Amino acid sequence: MSNFKRSTLTGGAAAPSQRDSVLASLRQTKIVAPVKPVLPAELIATILDYLPVPELLRFARTAKRFREMVYDDTRWVQRIKSMGLWDEAEARRRFEEGVRRQREREKEEMARRAGVGGANGAGGAAGNGIAAEGKTPVTLFDAGVEEERIAQRRKTLEEGFADISLTANGSSDSTAGAAHRDPMVALKVLKSVRSIRGHARQEYGRVYGALAPYYLDLARSLSHTDPVLFRAFRDPEQQAQMLAQLKIFAKSDFAQGWHAREEKLETMIGIFENAVLREFEQGYDAGDYDGRMKRYAHVLVTLNGGVAGIDMFIQNHVLMQQKETLGRPLDCLPSVPNGSILLGPSHDFLGRLATALNEQGAVIDKVFPTSVEVLIPFVERVSEEILGEYLTTLFDEAHDRNVESYLKAVSGIFEQCLLFSDMIKPAKSSKDDFSVTIKQIIIRCFEPHIDLYLSEELDFFKKTSEAQVEAWEKRLFDEEASTESFFMANVNRQAAKRDFLTSFKKVVMMPVNVLPTIPLSSPFATSKPAAAQASSGSDALGLSSSRANTPLPDDRAPSPRQEAPTTELAAKAAIMNSRLEGIKSLFSIEIALNLIHATKSNIERAAVFAKIGGQTGEEAKEQCDAIFVQLLQILGTRHIKAGFDKAVNHLADYNPRNVAEHNQPGVAPLVTFLELVNVGDLIQQMVDVFYVQEMVTTKLTDRDDFLSPAVKEKKRFEQMLDERVAAGLNKGIDVLMDEVEYLCATIQQPTDFNPTASEQMMDIGTTQTATRIVDIVSSHTGMLTGSTDKNMLDVFNQEVGLRLFTALCKHLKRQRISIDGAIKLISDTNHYHAYISTLKNKSLTQYFDALRELSQIYLISPKHAKEIATIIADSDRYYGIFRAEEVYEFAERRADWFVVKRDVERAMYGIGCAVM
């Protein structure tokens, strides 16, 4: 509108001069400020969102801009979206197709115009002639088409809402709207809605024109008999379809009072649903599956998905009311022994339940349409009310009676339930993941019991394993006490006290009595020769050299035919000997096997739940790791470690002088200890095999996961075993060296290295002492080959070699060696060197190389004192192992040392080597 208004003259009529003036009208005008709108356009657009459709149409007639606001496509897209009928992908596809068609038309138009231009060029003369004659010129557009386009743009209410008549109060006349519409068209109006950008108002207008009359009429109805809908549609199927459409259509009602209209619609739907449910229930009671039940089930599904009908079908099912006929849970727990469970009754129960579910699956296929899933909710209700109660009753009773029965019941029935889930056949409406869903339903029945089960599984294994080890320890203790009582039975305490000094003297003086005879010229000479054997001292203590051959503690009990010693010292020596014999039975392969078998049973039961996956599956795997960790702790710390510690203590008490027989190929206590080491190595291999097969292969644990409790505990177990073996071997080396020193002191004859003038050198080979020592040492080092870690074996061999070297050097310093006896000494050192070479330890071989070089010092004639001094002073000759002072000490053991001493020392001073 114009902002210029004419002002009224204050002086009456204008003067003629002024009226005639050209500028008179311009002088009489004045500028008036434009009128600003009261409300912003954004606020008006928001208000329009809450207007009824008839009010929107009336508002669009008031102004061009208001019409644009009402006709905005996004407003109608929003209403279609609120009903859930807008498909953005379809809208995008239609838009792209429209753009493509528009471009094709433009290309065709351009091509057509290019063709027309060419024709005009060819016949230009004729065209020009026509124009010259004043005839109609060629137009560049179709006037008829343009007029049709203009008329289309001027249409207001004809698009989409043309069939809606507006009453005086602004509401639509539903009676009139419903009178001229085909009811069958209204039944399918929502299915025909298209998602077209720019045409959302037309699409919503068709929906509104078809459903609004029924919707508004139903909202004004006072009873369920008033709505036009129930008179226009007589079939329940059509009524349900229309009510379902109206419920969807109500979501696009944003106008004032929408909540009351929606409640009225819900009330009518509820009344209709109750009536249909009564018909459905009557058909269910009559068993009319193919008739009334099927018809009204479809009606309920059309109305709202059939939830109420499904609930009624499941709740009133005869299977829920007669669940006792399937089986009783306590049939699995009659008068069975403790720790047992009968899984036959539970198997029959699940079989009957699966048969009943499959039968009802066939009924469901008859009654309900394939668009709804009924079997899954039915199985869920059956699992909760039948299977769940069965499991709870059985598990609670089994737990109260016996924990082992409870554990077997939970794991065994769970496996049966997994097979039971595979027996249920899918219905026609079932999805592809039917079997997975059924398994999840079954698993939910066990979820209340899994935590308690896993906890009880670990506690049960811990208690039973500790009980086995305690029984073994008590068995050993009782047998040791029995043995001690047997050996002390014939001891006369008073007589022992009176004869204590005599016995003590025999024991204490035994090392002196058994020393070999040494020539009087030796500083180690004794007043009288001693026997070559020490049987007298051993017999005085009543010792026996017998050894047990089996690791069973029962076999270590003294035989009734064996006579008990009569003195306290002999009895204590016999007790010590018995303990040494029992070293190899301080822990048992039988106990290890029993514990591993128990672990296998427990883990196999718990591993069944690891198949579930998710959090429950991870908890089951963690519990399997905990059971394996418990095995290693009980078997390792409680059983093996205690046995090794006791064995080491027994070895520490060993004294070779208390043993009568030394003709065996090895030291008996050390042999039995090495057998114990072999048993420990065998148990470790058993644990490794079990870990790989039962834990790693079944993917219960990952051996590469250094944070896994099972991996960490297994490493600790192996480290403990290595430490105990190393400690035992260290003590075993002490025992072995004690035996070597004993043999050197008892078997080595003084004449071996210092024969008398009357004796002739008939044999220049190794002495009996060297042969026996090499045989004993090699037998023990050979026993560890293949049963001990290579690094530990190398350390053991090196330590044995060094200790043997030290013992031989100590023994050599106690001998008198003549030039003739040096030949046997060299033979002995060569024999020792040959044995050490088999150990393939270069650094150790150098020690015996030095010892072999040292033995050459005794072959030099007394005439060559300077050479003796040179050999003593040459430290490189001995690879730095012997210093000159030490070689000098060995040289002092020459039988003729007092003859050559002055010349040797003078020669040593001459070459600048002073050892004194």
Side-chain angles (χ1 to χ4, degrees):
M1 60 186 300
S2 175
N3 293 328
F4 298 93
K5 297 182 180 179
R6 294 183 180 276
S7 60
T8 305
L9 295 178
T10 58
S17 59
Q18 292 178 348
R19 287 195 299 266
D20 295 340
S21 175
V22 177
L23 300 177
S25 61
L26 184 61
R27 293 192 186 101
Q28 293 177 359
T29 60
K30 63 179 180 179
I31 299 175
V32 179
V35 179
K36 296 182 180 179
V38 178
L39 294 176
E42 293 81 2
L43 183 57
I44 295 175
T46 303
I47 294 174
L48 294 182
D49 292 338
Y50 300 96
L51 289 180
V53 172
E55 293 295 337
L56 280 174
L57 301 180
R58 185 174 288 105
F59 185 79
R61 293 176 177 176
T62 57
K64 180 178 179 181
R65 187 171 181 182
F66 291 163
R67 187 190 67 179
E68 293 176 354
M69 296 175 66
V70 172
Y71 281 19
D72 184 12
D73 195 62
T74 59
R75 186 180 308 281
W76 307 102
V77 169
Q78 179 184 3
R79 290 181 179 265
I80 297 176
K81 283 184 177 180
S82 66
M83 295 187 294
L85 301 177
W86 182 263
D87 187 354
E88 187 64 30
E90 180 186 356
R92 186 181 298 107
R93 179 177 53 81
R94 288 179 178 272
F95 176 77
E96 292 174 354
E97 290 179 356
V99 172
R100 180 176 54 79
R101 288 195 299 268
Q102 180 66 22
R103 290 177 179 175
E104 291 177 355
R105 286 196 297 268
E106 291 177 355
K107 290 181 180 179
E108 291 176 358
E109 182 68 19
M110 294 175 62
R112 186 182 64 80
R113 289 181 181 179
V116 171
N120 288 338
N128 291 334
I130 295 173
E133 293 177 0
K135 294 189 177 181
T136 303
V138 177
T139 59
L140 300 179
F141 61 91
D142 192 340
V145 174
E146 291 298 322
E147 290 178 358
E148 185 177 349
R149 290 180 179 175
I150 294 173
Q152 184 70 19
R153 286 197 299 269
R154 290 178 178 176
K155 296 170 69 177
T156 56
L157 298 179
E158 288 77 1
E159 296 179 356
F161 299 94
D163 295 336
I164 300 178
S165 60
L166 303 178
T167 60
N169 57 3
S171 62
S172 64
D173 187 356
S174 59
T175 304
H180 68 275
R181 284 190 173 275
D182 184 4
M184 296 299 104
V185 175
L187 283 175
K188 302 178 181 179
V189 66
L190 293 183
K191 295 181 180 180
S192 62
V193 174
R194 298 171 299 174
S195 300
I196 307 175
R197 292 178 181 174
H199 295 271
R201 177 171 54 85
Q202 292 85 341
E203 292 298 317
Y204 183 77
R206 290 194 303 105
V207 175
Y208 188 88
L211 299 181
Y214 299 104
Y215 176 71
L216 299 175
D217 175 74
L218 189 145
R220 292 191 298 267
S221 300
L222 300 178
S223 66
H224 65 279
T225 60
D226 295 340
V228 177
L229 182 148
F230 297 115
R231 296 194 298 273
F233 303 96
R234 307 303 300 178
D235 292 336
E237 292 83 358
Q238 296 177 350
Q239 294 172 352
Q241 187 174 352
M242 277 301 296
L243 289 173
Q245 287 192 126
L246 292 180
K247 188 174 182 179
I248 296 174
F249 176 73
K251 296 178 181 179
S252 66
D253 183 9
F254 306 144
Q256 187 177 6
W258 66 269
H259 188 268
R261 291 189 291 273
E262 187 174 7
E263 285 186 350
K264 195 62 172 290
L265 176 62
E266 292 291 342
T267 302
M268 289 296 178
I269 291 176
I271 294 173
F272 178 79
E273 185 179 31
N274 290 334
V276 175
L277 282 175
R278 286 194 297 271
E279 296 293 334
F280 179 79
E281 186 176 5
Q282 291 175 2
Y284 179 77
D285 295 337
D288 188 7
Y289 299 134
D290 296 326
R292 298 171 66 183
M293 279 191 70
K294 180 177 181 179
R295 179 183 183 185
Y296 290 105
H298 283 68
V299 171
L300 291 171
V301 171
T302 303
L303 179 65
N304 54 13
V307 177
I310 295 173
D311 290 342
M312 178 178 289
F313 175 80
I314 296 174
Q315 189 65 35
N316 297 334
H317 199 278
V318 66
L319 191 61
M320 304 297 177
Q321 302 171 2
Q322 300 178 1
K323 52 188 175 182
E324 293 81 5
T325 60
L326 297 174
R328 297 186 307 168
L330 298 184
D331 292 342
C332 297
L333 294 171
S335 57
V336 295
N338 289 337
S340 300
I341 185 72
L342 297 179
L343 297 179
S346 60
H347 179 270
D348 297 338
F349 164 79
L350 294 174
R352 287 189 287 268
L353 184 59
T355 301
L357 289 176
N358 290 332
E359 291 176 354
Q360 295 309 311
V363 173
I364 290 171
D365 289 338
K366 292 181 181 180
V367 174
F368 293 93
T370 58
S371 59
V372 293
E373 181 62 73
V374 183
L375 185 57
I376 292 296
F378 182 70
V379 174
E380 288 179 347
R381 185 70 63 85
V382 168
S383 299
E384 293 176 3
E385 299 187 6
I386 299 179
L387 182 59
E389 293 182 5
Y390 182 91
L391 297 177
T392 302
T393 304
L394 174 58
F395 294 161
D396 291 346
E397 183 65 22
H399 188 272
D400 294 339
R401 291 189 183 186
N402 184 270
V403 175
E404 187 176 3
S405 299
Y406 167 76
L407 299 177
K408 292 180 179 179
V410 175
S411 179
I413 295 179
F414 181 75
E415 289 184 312
Q416 289 182 346
C417 287
L418 293 181
L419 298 177
F420 160 76
S421 64
D422 296 333
M423 295 171 61
I424 302 176
K425 299 178 181 179
K428 295 180 180 179
S429 59
S430 299
K431 299 180 180 178
D432 296 337
D433 60 346
F434 174 79
S435 59
V436 177
T437 305
I438 293 296
K439 280 186 173 64
Q440 293 175 350
I441 294 173
I442 300 301
I443 290 171
R444 284 199 294 268
C445 295
F446 282 84
E447 286 180 352
H449 309 283
I450 291 179
D451 291 339
L452 176 62
Y453 163 76
L454 294 176
S455 177
E456 290 288 357
E457 193 75 71
L458 179 60
D459 292 342
F460 175 76
F461 172 76
K462 183 177 180 180
K463 291 178 182 178
T464 54
S465 300
E466 289 180 347
Q468 289 190 50
V469 176
E470 288 177 359
W472 173 265
E473 292 174 349
K474 185 177 183 301
R475 194 171 161 190
L476 288 179
F477 178 80
D478 293 342
E479 289 164 3
E480 288 180 1
S482 176
T483 302
E484 184 175 354
S485 299
F486 172 79
F487 286 129
M488 299 296 292
N490 294 336
V491 175
N492 188 334
R493 300 285 181 174
Q494 297 298 327
K497 290 181 179 179
R498 289 194 300 267
D499 198 42
F500 175 76
L501 292 178
T502 304
S503 300
F504 181 75
K505 183 178 180 181
K506 291 180 180 180
V507 175
V508 173
M509 296 301 293
M510 186 184 302
V512 179
N513 294 337
V514 298
L515 287 176
T517 303
I518 302 177
L520 294 176
S521 60
S522 171
F524 300 98
T526 59
S527 59
K528 62 178 181 178
Q533 297 181 354
S535 59
S536 60
S538 300
D539 293 340
L541 293 176
L543 299 183
S544 174
S545 61
S546 60
R547 293 290 184 269
N549 294 324
T550 60
L552 296 178
D554 288 342
D555 296 337
R556 296 193 298 109
S559 173
R561 298 181 180 178
Q562 181 180 355
E563 293 184 1
T566 56
T567 63
E568 185 173 1
L569 290 178
K572 290 183 178 180
I575 292 173
M576 182 198 70
N577 191 26
S578 176
R579 290 177 179 176
L580 292 175
E581 291 174 356
I583 285 179
K584 57 187 176 183
S585 61
L586 289 177
F587 54 80
S588 169
I589 294 181
E590 179 185 0
I591 293 296
L593 281 173
N594 292 338
L595 294 180
I596 290 176
H597 286 160
T599 307
K600 185 175 185 296
S601 300
N602 287 73
I603 288 180
E604 283 181 348
R605 288 198 298 261
V608 175
F609 293 93
K611 302 176 183 178
I612 297 176
Q615 182 178 358
T616 302
E618 291 300 324
E619 292 176 356
K621 289 183 179 180
E622 292 175 0
Q623 206 69 356
C624 292
D625 283 352
I627 294 173
F628 181 72
V629 169
Q630 199 67 40
L631 165 70
L632 296 181
Q633 291 177 352
I634 295 175
L635 181 61
T637 306
R638 182 70 181 275
H639 190 56
I640 297 178
K641 183 177 182 295
F644 269 121
D645 291 342
K646 190 177 294 186
V648 172
N649 293 333
H650 291 346
L651 284 175
D653 297 335
Y654 174 74
N655 188 347
R657 295 169 178 82
N658 295 338
V659 180
E661 185 62 50
H662 291 274
N663 294 325
Q664 301 295 329
V667 183
L670 186 54
V671 171
T672 55
F673 178 79
L674 295 181
E675 292 179 3
L676 188 69
V677 173
N678 292 332
V679 173
D681 181 69
L682 181 60
I683 292 176
Q684 181 179 359
Q685 293 180 13
M686 290 163 52
V687 171
D688 289 337
V689 172
F690 175 82
Y691 176 75
V692 172
Q693 292 183 353
E694 300 297 330
M695 301 294 293
V696 177
T697 304
T698 56
K699 297 182 179 180
L700 294 177
T701 189
D702 184 5
R703 67 166 66 190
D704 298 327
D705 183 9
F706 63 92
L707 297 177
S708 172
V711 175
K712 293 191 292 185
E713 190 62 32
K714 186 172 181 292
K715 290 181 179 178
R716 279 196 290 266
F717 172 79
E718 295 170 351
Q719 183 179 1
M720 179 277 299
L721 199 59
D722 292 341
E723 291 175 354
R724 293 301 93 195
V725 170
L729 293 179
N730 183 54
K731 187 61 64 175
I733 292 174
D734 294 339
V735 172
L736 182 61
M737 291 302 109
D738 289 342
E739 189 72 16
V740 169
E741 292 180 358
Y742 180 81
L743 293 176
C744 289
T746 57
I747 301 178
Q748 191 79 67
Q749 299 297 324
T751 58
D752 288 344
F753 303 142
N754 188 19
T756 61
S758 60
E759 293 179 348
Q760 296 181 0
M761 295 295 295
M762 300 299 296
D763 184 12
I764 61 174
T766 59
T767 64
Q768 182 185 1
T769 304
T771 303
R772 288 286 306 281
I773 290 175
V774 170
D775 290 343
I776 289 177
V777 175
S778 62
S779 65
H780 289 88
T781 55
M783 289 179 65
L784 292 176
T785 304
S787 62
T788 309
D789 182 68
K790 185 178 183 302
N791 295 329
M792 183 179 294
L793 181 62
D794 293 340
V795 172
F796 176 78
N797 290 338
Q798 184 171 3
E799 184 66 18
V800 168
L802 292 176
R803 297 280 294 275
L804 177 63
F805 174 80
T806 303
L808 293 176
C809 291
K810 181 180 178 181
H811 173 62
L812 190 59
K813 290 180 180 180
R814 292 200 295 260
Q815 305 302 314
R816 280 298 178 186
I817 308 167
S818 64
I819 295 177
D820 294 334
I823 298 175
K824 274 190 172 294
L825 176 61
I826 293 174
S827 298
D828 285 357
T829 55
N830 288 335
H831 190 56
Y832 294 134
H833 185 277
Y835 161 67
I836 294 299
S837 299
T838 61
L839 301 181
K840 297 180 180 180
N841 191 317
K842 185 177 180 180
S843 61
L844 184 61
T845 305
Q846 287 184 351
Y847 281 87
F848 286 85
D849 288 341
L851 185 63
R852 189 168 58 178
E853 293 293 333
L854 180 65
S855 62
Q856 305 294 327
I857 199 173
Y858 301 107
L859 277 177
I860 303 175
S861 174
K863 299 178 182 180
H864 303 89
K866 187 174 181 180
E867 293 184 8
I868 297 176
T870 303
I871 293 175
I872 293 175
D874 188 6
S875 59
D876 295 338
R877 184 184 184 93
Y878 310 107
Y879 309 100
I881 295 174
F882 292 116
R883 294 179 291 110
E885 294 83 353
E886 294 175 329
V887 179
Y888 182 84
E889 293 178 3
F890 284 105
E892 291 179 338
R893 306 315 301 163
R894 287 177 61 102
D896 57 355
W897 175 249
F898 293 104
V899 177
V900 300
K901 177 180 179 181
R902 179 179 299 179
D903 297 335
V904 171
E905 290 180 351
R906 185 182 297 112
M908 292 180 67
Y909 281 116
I911 61 177
C913 178
V915 296
M916 300 301 293

